[in-house]
Amino acid sequence: MDFTTGLNDKQKEAVLHTEGPLLILAGAGSGKTRVLTHRIAHLVENKGVAPWSILAITFTNKAAQEMKARVASLIGEEMANDMWVSTFHSMCVRILRRNPEELGYGRYFTIYDTADQKSLLKDILKVLNINEKNFPIGTVLGAISSKKNELITPETAVLKAGDDYREKIIAQVYSAYQKKLKDNNAMDFDDLLVNTYLLFRDHENILSYYQNKFRYILVDEYQDTNGAQYQLVQMLAKRHLNLCVVGDDDQSIYGWRGADISNILDFEKDFNSAAVIKLEQNYRSTQNILNAANSVVAHNKGRKVKKLWTDNEEGQEITILQANNEYREADLITRNIIDSIEQGEREYKDFAILYRTNAQSRILEEKMVGNSIPYRLLGGTRFYERKEIKDLISYLKVVANTKDDVAIKRIINVPKRGVGTASVNTITDYAMRQNMDFFEAARLSKELGILGAGPSQKVISFTSLIEELKEIVQTSNNIQTLLQAVIEKIDYLTYIRQTEAETAEDRIQNIEELISKTMHYMSETDEPSLEAFLEEVALVADIDNYDEESNSVVLMTLHSAKGLEFPVVFIPGVEEGLFPSYMSMTEGEDKLEEERRLCYVGITRAREKLYMLYAEQRTLFGQTKYSLPSRFIKELPNETTNLAKLNQQKKSFMANAMGEKKTFEVKTSPKPEMPVLRGQGSMSSSLNTASKKIENLPKPIFDFTEGDAVSHKMFGQGTITEINKIKDDVFVTIQFKSGETRQLSTRFAKLQKL
């Protein structure tokens, strides 16, 4: 069967090259998923490769599901189901579930999300008597994650710390954190990778099994792999060397979370016999947009040379807009959207607003609401991180794994059953001294004399409830039945109505959505289990829930947008110090080049029309500064934007105003002037004015602590979950009762303690 029909020459070459190491450099919009799926189909149908000996790895569940569906359409669902098509993390969970005892874990280990990790670290810092102000939980968690990405174990971290006080403390916390994870029979996301690596490293028989099993390995988005993922790929591919990696070094934008661009740049060094095929024909964007993207990214030195082209039309020029401030910038965006809608040219879902930092979204959201524009904010509070969902999932986690102290402590008094902090602390202390599980100590709290008669009875009512729920799942194995039993037995809906009156209906709708999720899981899964359901929930990403058909404008960060495309894209805040970020401008060429790659990603999300905006001044993180247009705007070719035309009109206007009748000859400059497109209230200050702070700023507030209940005029009541001191300000992260999470400056937020 010919699986190359309709492919271009380079795509055909990539499909037919099946043996040995292969690097496919796939530019944005070049049809790489089609190449991968047709390559798999060719291997199975024409080369006689058993489907179960193929491993295909990508980075999101959404991409994995799409890839599997496409393969099924080519070779049939039965064969597609026999192959492993998954994310790195899903692959690792599958391997670890089969061999947990080799690492000292039980089969039904829990997977901790970020909130679980922070809760556990908070307890550890308290036990170790380490001041959170000196070692903020977010900072410590980031340091531990970085070590895991580099496969640095706690023991190695202690040795590497040497006499560095801060590193010694972090290594100490890391060691305690890993011990507690194992005690809780839990792993975080990084552990899934690291523990699989350790399993392969220390158990040759297990590694050998998977090396023999996977004769052909395909890895998508290879430029996004970190140190642990790189090592896993190297280990698995070592025996047969039939490794095909697909990626684009120009879209490597996750260095801040451990991705190592050298993995793709050095592929030919790792595999001397590697073939390299470049996919440069783009099927997404107009040539004008591609010319702009090519020009910007060509300023990077650390890249493999490639140049996108298309058979699509030349298309519209890129529109560069200057606004007075971030409010006028948002007005320009909403006005363009409204005009297109009113003229019948577009639907709301055709528009995406992509920004460098989440802090930019607030004003854009206000303008969307003020103009009655339906919108979706991707990257806000994830569905599974909302309080009501987290509570119910925690009940399910405890039923599956009573060693999970983090989940137990979250729900032992939810809804309130009279179990106070003092009782929890007493049980915790006893369990630690006797080397017992918290749940077991709680269950025996009366007969062991841990608590008095009254408090112990309240604790035992909780442990008895968990035992009842365990019987339900053991009897029926129905996750929907179990969830509904939890909701009914603890009367959770009444609890929500009483404690979250203002947002109760929205929260109840979320709970109904969770019930629907369990119904879908039960109907779509051949062998359902509570552990598998919790695994699926834990591994879902925000982008996996993105619905392309929902008719609303999409707001998201540039980082979140990779892999997506839209007819019309707005990129606000294209200013020096914001995009590229100030840190990237001061921390070396590598950081700046990653920012430029991020700009390349943003530009290539647009299919038909692109707007890039910058403001004369902007208030961000409590500081108001004058702004300069980004170097990325100046790196755009003149012929791709509206700048040259606007400059010519500006000069002609000035000539006429001065009474001159001669025609001005306008020469094209490699760095055109920035045209001024101002609205009312324009500032007359020159854009060349150096950035400066506004004087007489309010003073930051230092006496907030994590857990404080606060009130904000716009967002309502919430709880402070994290505190960070940044330069001369204090920022607090607040989980509001509405479900939103915001980071606010204490200088300007006017927060009131409750």
Side-chain angles (χ1 to χ4, degrees):
M1 188 177 296
D2 186 3
F3 291 103
T4 63
T5 304
L7 302 183
N8 65 43
D9 290 344
K10 288 296 181 181
Q11 290 175 327
K12 288 179 182 179
E13 186 181 347
V15 167
L16 298 175
H17 191 291
T18 58
E19 306 306 307
L22 172 64
L23 169 61
I24 302 176
L25 289 171
S30 61
K32 66 182 175 66
T33 303
R34 190 178 188 195
V35 168
L36 279 173
T37 53
H38 282 242
R39 190 173 190 275
I40 291 171
H42 174 67
L43 282 168
V44 174
E45 291 287 353
N46 298 333
K47 302 288 288 186
V49 175
W52 53 84
S53 67
I54 296 174
L55 170 65
I57 305 174
T58 188
F59 268 77
T60 67
N61 293 308
K62 187 182 180 72
Q65 290 163 6
E66 180 185 351
M67 186 182 294
K68 194 164 189 175
R70 289 205 201 180
V71 170
S73 70
L74 294 171
I75 62 174
E77 195 168 329
E78 187 175 345
M79 282 192 173
N81 286 336
D82 282 340
M83 62 184 64
W84 284 32
V85 183
S86 73
T87 64
F88 268 105
H89 290 93
S90 295
M91 176 195 77
C92 289
V93 169
R94 195 167 176 179
I95 293 169
L96 291 169
R97 292 277 187 222
R98 294 179 177 181
N99 307 277
E101 64 285 345
E102 305 288 355
L103 295 167
Y105 283 85
R107 183 179 179 189
Y108 301 122
F109 57 82
T110 302
I111 302 172
Y112 276 4
D113 62 17
T114 304
D116 297 327
Q117 290 175 274
K118 288 183 175 181
S119 178
L120 183 57
L121 275 173
K122 192 178 183 70
D123 287 344
I124 288 170
L125 292 182
K126 192 178 296 181
V127 169
L128 295 177
N129 197 27
I130 295 171
N131 192 328
E132 271 188 51
K133 291 182 179 179
N134 298 328
F135 290 87
I137 286 176
T139 302
V140 174
L141 185 58
I144 291 173
S145 180
S146 294
K147 293 182 191 306
K148 290 184 179 183
N149 286 337
E150 297 172 27
L151 296 173
I152 298 173
T153 62
E155 297 77 17
T156 305
V158 171
L159 294 174
K160 288 173 72 74
D163 294 327
D164 187 313
Y165 171 75
R166 191 166 187 82
E167 282 299 312
K168 284 171 69 175
I169 295 296
I170 289 175
Q172 182 187 8
V173 175
Y174 182 16
S175 297
Y177 173 71
Q178 287 305 116
K179 181 181 183 304
K180 192 60 180 170
L181 278 172
K182 187 169 282 190
D183 289 345
N184 289 5
N185 196 29
M187 299 184 195
D188 63 25
F189 281 93
D190 295 322
D191 285 330
L192 299 177
L193 304 174
V194 174
N195 285 337
T196 304
Y197 165 78
L198 294 174
L199 187 69
F200 287 167
R201 186 196 69 181
D202 299 337
H203 300 276
E204 179 62 33
N205 60 319
I206 296 174
L207 173 59
S208 182
Y209 169 80
Y210 286 104
Q211 285 177 332
N212 286 326
K213 175 177 174 56
F214 299 127
R215 288 180 53 210
Y216 291 85
I217 300 173
L218 303 92
V219 183
D220 194 11
E221 305 287 4
Y222 192 64
Q223 77 281 348
D224 293 336
T225 52
N226 60 29
Q229 291 160 337
Y230 169 82
Q231 288 295 339
L232 288 172
V233 171
Q234 297 289 311
M235 288 170 137
L236 288 170
K238 187 175 182 180
R239 181 156 298 175
H240 296 290
L241 295 179
N242 293 324
L243 171 64
C244 170
V245 301
V246 185
D248 181 6
D249 51 298
D250 287 335
Q251 296 187 72
S252 179
I253 59 174
Y254 299 120
W256 51 277
R257 70 181 189 196
D260 187 349
I261 191 174
S262 68
N263 292 347
I264 192 168
L265 293 178
D266 294 341
F267 186 79
E268 294 129 290
K269 294 179 183 177
D270 293 334
F271 299 93
N272 295 328
S273 60
V276 180
I277 298 173
K278 295 181 182 180
L279 304 182
E280 297 172 290
Q281 183 174 358
N282 176 282
Y283 294 90
R284 174 191 300 160
S285 305
T286 64
Q287 187 62 56
N288 200 54
I289 288 171
L290 297 182
N291 288 342
N294 287 333
S295 179
V296 170
V297 81
H299 286 77
N300 278 357
K301 296 176 182 177
R303 66 184 294 261
K304 292 180 178 290
V305 177
K306 67 187 83 68
K307 192 171 184 179
L308 295 178
W309 61 277
T310 185
D311 283 336
N312 295 339
E313 62 183 2
E314 184 175 347
Q316 301 177 57
E317 63 190 9
I318 295 167
T319 299
I320 311 296
L321 297 176
Q322 176 191 337
N324 310 126
N325 53 43
E326 64 270 28
Y327 289 94
R328 300 290 78 79
E329 178 184 66
D331 284 336
L332 286 171
I333 293 172
T334 53
R335 186 70 261 164
N336 272 284
I337 293 173
I338 291 168
D339 287 348
S340 293
I341 296 295
E342 290 179 346
Q343 292 168 20
E345 298 174 353
R346 303 282 184 187
E347 295 182 86
Y348 289 114
K349 66 181 180 182
D350 292 338
F351 300 95
I353 307 173
L354 312 179
Y355 34 80
R356 177 61 184 84
T357 174
N358 277 310
Q360 293 171 254
S361 72
R362 181 181 64 83
I363 293 165
L364 291 164
E365 288 184 74
E366 289 176 8
K367 294 297 182 180
M368 295 290 117
V369 172
N371 288 279
S372 300
I373 297 175
Y375 74 95
R376 288 166 292 162
L377 180 68
L378 269 68
T381 303
R382 292 175 59 237
F383 177 77
Y384 291 107
E385 289 176 354
R386 291 169 182 162
K387 179 191 181 300
E388 61 278 12
I389 304 303
K390 189 82 173 164
D391 285 347
L392 294 173
I393 291 294
S394 292
Y395 268 97
L396 302 188
K397 281 184 175 183
V398 176
V399 171
N401 174 23
T402 54
K403 290 179 178 289
D404 188 348
D405 289 4
V406 171
I408 292 172
K409 290 177 182 178
R410 179 184 179 92
I411 59 170
I412 195 169
N413 201 38
V414 174
K416 291 187 182 300
R417 50 177 62 91
V419 181
T421 303
S423 294
V424 171
N425 290 341
T426 300
I427 297 170
T428 300
D429 292 342
Y430 184 91
M432 287 179 66
R433 288 196 308 272
Q434 301 298 322
N435 197 26
M436 293 176 67
D437 297 335
F438 179 93
F439 185 85
E440 189 67 9
R443 190 176 68 83
L444 300 173
S445 58
K446 183 176 182 180
E447 57 192 89
L448 293 176
I450 301 171
L451 299 174
S456 63
Q457 192 56 48
K458 294 170 183 175
V459 170
I460 292 170
S461 70
F462 168 75
T463 59
S464 298
L465 170 64
I466 298 301
E467 297 292 351
E468 286 180 44
L469 295 171
K470 275 180 169 292
E471 289 181 15
I472 292 173
V473 75
Q474 287 167 1
T475 302
S476 68
N477 199 34
N478 189 307
I479 315 307
Q480 181 189 347
T481 300
L482 174 64
L483 176 61
Q484 289 175 323
V486 170
I487 294 169
E488 291 169 12
K489 284 180 178 292
I490 65 176
D491 198 10
Y492 192 72
L493 299 186
T494 299
Y495 165 74
I496 287 294
R497 291 190 180 100
Q498 290 175 346
T499 59
E500 310 286 348
E502 295 179 5
T503 59
E505 291 311 308
D506 287 341
R507 293 180 184 275
I508 289 171
Q509 285 179 10
N510 290 336
I511 294 167
E512 290 170 351
E513 178 62 26
L514 181 61
I515 295 171
S516 298
K517 165 68 180 175
T518 61
M519 290 174 60
H520 178 77
Y521 173 79
M522 293 302 300
S523 64
E524 296 294 321
T525 308
D526 293 334
E527 297 181 10
S529 72
L530 176 56
E531 293 74 25
F533 173 76
L534 291 172
E535 176 186 311
E536 186 174 306
V537 166
L539 295 176
V540 73
D542 190 48
I543 195 66
D544 294 329
N545 295 317
Y546 169 59
D547 178 10
E548 295 177 0
E549 296 307 312
S550 176
N551 193 22
S552 51
V553 177
V554 176
L555 277 67
M556 68 173 83
T557 64
L558 286 153
H559 283 99
S560 298
K562 193 163 81 70
L564 302 177
E565 57 184 75
F566 308 90
V568 183
V569 168
F570 296 91
I571 306 179
V574 191
E575 301 149 18
E576 291 290 290
L578 178 55
F579 190 31
S581 69
Y582 175 77
M583 288 180 65
S584 71
M585 293 163 60
T586 58
E587 291 188 359
E589 194 64 26
D590 288 349
K591 300 289 187 184
L592 186 57
E593 291 204 351
E594 181 160 318
E595 289 284 295
R596 189 174 279 111
R597 293 193 292 269
L598 186 59
C599 184
Y600 171 85
V601 167
I603 292 171
T604 54
R605 297 314 92 195
R607 294 207 299 261
E608 301 166 24
K609 180 63 181 175
L610 173 65
Y611 295 84
M612 300 176 78
L613 302 94
Y614 65 96
E616 282 186 297
Q617 69 165 6
R618 182 179 302 273
T619 302
L620 201 63
F621 301 123
Q623 294 184 342
T624 301
K625 294 182 177 181
Y626 295 115
S627 305
L628 293 171
S630 170
R631 68 194 68 195
F632 301 150
I633 290 178
K634 297 177 183 179
E635 290 170 359
L636 296 169
N638 293 342
E639 64 274 11
T640 65
T641 76
N642 63 323
L643 290 181
K645 187 188 300 182
L646 288 169
N647 284 327
Q648 185 168 353
Q649 292 172 353
K650 179 181 174 183
K651 290 183 179 181
S652 297
F653 173 81
M654 292 298 294
N656 291 332
M658 293 169 63
E660 295 183 25
K661 297 181 180 180
K662 64 179 180 180
T663 304
F664 279 74
E665 181 183 352
V666 180
K667 295 182 179 180
T668 304
S669 165
K671 292 186 179 179
E673 299 174 37
M674 297 294 111
V676 180
L677 305 177
R678 294 174 174 160
Q680 291 183 343
S682 168
M683 292 187 62
S684 60
S685 305
S686 167
L687 280 180
N688 291 324
T689 304
S691 297
K692 61 181 181 181
K693 300 177 185 176
I694 287 183
E695 297 179 354
N696 300 321
L697 289 173
K699 293 182 179 179
I701 300 173
F702 292 91
D703 63 348
F704 285 121
T705 59
E706 287 188 16
D708 280 351
V710 294
S711 176
H712 184 274
K713 188 174 181 180
M714 178 180 293
F715 303 119
Q717 295 182 5
T719 303
I720 294 176
T721 59
E722 190 174 341
I723 299 174
N724 289 301
K725 184 176 180 182
I726 304 175
K727 292 186 178 177
D728 54 353
D729 200 351
V730 176
F731 289 84
V732 290
T733 301
I734 304 173
Q735 176 74 51
F736 288 100
K737 288 187 175 181
S738 63
E740 289 186 280
T741 300
R742 296 275 179 177
Q743 186 182 61
L744 302 175
S745 162
T746 59
R747 284 184 185 274
F748 296 93
K750 296 183 179 179
L751 297 170
Q752 292 185 341
K753 280 191 179 183
L754 299 177

